Amino acid sequence: MNTNQYEKNLEQLGAFEIASKMLKLAKNNENNNSYLNAGRGNPNWINTQARLAFPRFMEFGVKESESTMHEDNLAGYTTLEGIAGRFDATLDLSKTEDVFIKESLDYAVNTLGIDRDALVKEFTDAIIGNNYPVPSRCLVNTEKIINAYLQDTLYNGVPLADSTQVFPTEGGTAAICYIFNSLKKNNLIKEGDKIAINTPIFTPYIQIPKLTTYEMVEVNLVASEENNWEVPVDALDVLEDESIKAFFLVNPSNPGSRALDSRLLKRIKKICEKRKDLIIITDDVYGTFSEDFQTVYSVAPYNTLLVYSYSKLYGCTGWRLGCIAMNKKNVFDDLIAHLPEEKLKLLDEDYGIVTLEPRTLPFIDRLTADSRSIGLYHTSGLSTPQQAMIALFSLTHLVCNDGDKYIESTKKIVAKRYHLLFEELGIKEDNTRENAKYYSLIDIYTIAARLYGKDLEIYMRKNFEEIDFLLNLAKEEGVVIMEGVGFAAPAGVLRVSHANLTDDAYIKIAKRIKVLLKEYNDKMKSSLELRD
Ligand SMILES: *Cc1c(COP(=O)(O)O)cnc(C)c1O
């Protein structure tokens, strides 16, 4: 197979699959360069505070369980009465993790009105993990804490915590799968339905709707480089068209890393006032990385379902922590209530095995039931240690009285890497507050044209597959970055993740890109000489 054909075949694969093929090439790169993978979004920082708090509950819980039964390695269960007092007595306030725990309990009691004994019992049992998650969808006090966290980080002052229901999931990944599955199962989206997406977008939102299971038709709301990767306000007009059933968006976007500004949010709010039937799914996993973020959910709570993940901010991708949040009054429940009678009868049959009143089962509980094929609804729900970890991460933010230093540090880390990369490449930086800077998109043809003239851009476009540059960057220079076409970005646009390499690596990446562009330029010059 010649190189071109191989490259064409590669381009059929998803962006993540192409990147993983390039890892090997990069590790054994021809120049013996250090291997640098800026392809993945996995962060290289972790939050230590919540992690150190977790085992304190485990230790306490074991001792507490031994008070009811104890033989060698066997213990009993915990007791609600007086549990907070016994727990408080074990705290050593010379340790920062214990101070954090005390502040967390005080916050939950004083600000959220949670009973101290109930909370200590919930955390302790959750972390010991000796009960199925009850209620299945979300532990009671954990839900209050997640709601307070989402309100404080994503709603920009709009008070929705009390009217929001949460379903914790195995990361944003599971949330996305559950949502597609339940939308289809409940006839909210059918084959052939049109859905709008903001592109470039995280590849699963392009790939899943196209699967033979779903066969949805995608309408792209395109953001471009000239616009700093912001969706133009006019592009939102298509959402007025009633043939568009749903709008899936990632905000701030991945790979563009740009949050919707207030004009776009206002427009969406307006559209939703007219279109009571529009479904919006917003994936806000990068929300905390942009300044003064505001989610679409807070401007259109009736229409919008929100996906959040703790993975990126807290460096906990291995834990699999995320959630689905939606309002108690929402379009999903109302659309289901108005389905044709024959569709409702079919749903009655299925959900009737877990509830006597299937027609009033809210969509969020359908998501929970569907996540375990309805039949296993009674053992559904996110594992309790995971739920406790979500609550602890949330509390690290909630206990901050004046600003969250941890969140500020994560923003500074990605911003610095963005700056180093752009400075070395000589690209103008976008320092507006909507730029989350978790990723950046760089246009290799634009850089080529700027460094060596338009001729080089034309030469590269004409003679090489767009993936050729990335393959050579891996093979010769040891650098893996992601192609943007899989995210529905234009050819030549590449995604650099600022999450997972040391700061100085971003200077090296920029330098190696320039070395490779010089090589293309040399090739062009020698081919011109041959022709002369
Ligand atoms: C990383 C990412 C996810 C997946 O998050 P997990 O919680 O790790 O499963 C979801 N959506 C977007 C846009 C992401 O970038």
Side-chain angles (χ1 to χ4, degrees), residues 134-153:
V134 179
S136 297
R137 173 165 60 76
C138 188
L139 300 178
V140 176
N141 295 309
T142 295
E143 185 174 24
K144 293 179 189 156
I145 292 166
I146 298 173
N147 266 324
Y149 172 82
L150 295 176
Q151 170 162 303
D152 211 59
T153 53

Side-chain angles (χ1 to χ4, degrees), residues 35-263:
Y35 157 67
L36 296 174
N37 179 2
R40 294 305 295 267
N42 202 108
N44 65 356
W45 59 80
I46 63 166
N47 176 287
T48 57
Q49 196 172 32
R51 282 178 167 89
L52 288 173
F54 187 91
R56 301 289 286 128
F57 285 96
M58 183 74 92
E59 284 164 43
F60 168 73
V62 167
K63 284 272 169 297
E64 172 79 3
S65 303
E66 285 172 354
S67 72
T68 46
M69 264 197 264
H70 188 199
E71 280 171 51
D72 298 325
N73 289 339
L74 182 149
Y77 42 86
T78 62
T79 318
L80 176 64
E81 208 191 323
I83 193 170
R86 293 191 293 282
F87 180 66
D88 283 344
T90 69
L91 293 178
D92 170 359
L93 296 181
S94 70
K95 290 190 180 145
T96 54
E97 60 265 35
D98 286 17
V99 172
F100 162 60
I101 291 171
K102 182 178 180 311
E103 285 172 357
S104 295
L105 298 178
D106 290 347
Y107 168 86
V109 171
N110 300 332
T111 309
L112 303 180
I114 296 173
D115 178 76
R116 202 175 188 97
D117 283 323
L119 184 61
V120 172
K121 173 110 165 112
E122 183 170 309
F123 277 176
T124 305
D125 287 350
I127 286 170
I128 293 173
N130 63 335
N131 283 305
Y132 284 107
V134 179
S136 297
R137 173 165 60 76
C138 188
L139 300 178
V140 176
N141 295 309
T142 295
E143 185 174 24
K144 293 179 189 156
I145 292 166
I146 298 173
N147 266 324
Y149 172 82
L150 295 176
Q151 170 162 303
D152 211 59
T153 53
L154 307 180
Y155 304 170
N156 198 24
V158 181
L160 289 167
D162 292 339
S163 59
T164 302
Q165 329 168 75
V166 181
F167 171 27
T169 56
E170 298 82 354
T173 295
I176 295 164
C177 298
Y178 297 160
I179 290 164
F180 275 107
N181 181 41
S182 289
L183 286 177
K184 165 125 192 181
K185 161 95 199 153
N186 287 281
N187 301 291
L188 297 182
I189 288 183
K190 305 180 296 297
E191 275 169 30
D193 275 352
K194 280 198 230 160
I195 60 163
I197 52 176
N198 66 323
T199 62
I201 193 171
F202 189 44
T203 57
Y205 291 104
I206 301 175
Q207 295 168 327
I208 297 174
K210 283 191 185 142
L211 295 175
T212 53
T213 329
Y214 296 108
E215 293 189 7
M216 302 169 184
V217 179
E218 289 162 351
V219 178
N220 294 357
L221 310 186
V222 183
S224 63
E225 191 175 18
E226 299 82 72
N227 234 340
N228 277 331
W229 302 108
E230 178 174 274
V231 177
V233 183
D234 298 348
L236 296 175
D237 292 352
V238 299
L239 299 177
E240 290 188 356
D241 173 354
E242 290 189 1
S243 74
I244 304 231
K245 299 281 183 238
F247 176 28
F248 284 73
L249 86 155
V250 175
N251 183 35
S253 55
N254 170 5
S257 267
R258 172 158 278 273
L260 300 187
D261 67 11
S262 56
R263 285 171 318 138

Side-chain angles (χ1 to χ4, degrees), residues 363-380:
F363 186 64
I364 194 130
D365 293 317
R366 293 176 194 238
L367 282 161
T368 312
D370 294 341
S371 76
R372 299 294 181 263
S373 303
I374 305 177
L376 290 153
Y377 187 27
H378 61 294
T379 51
S380 62

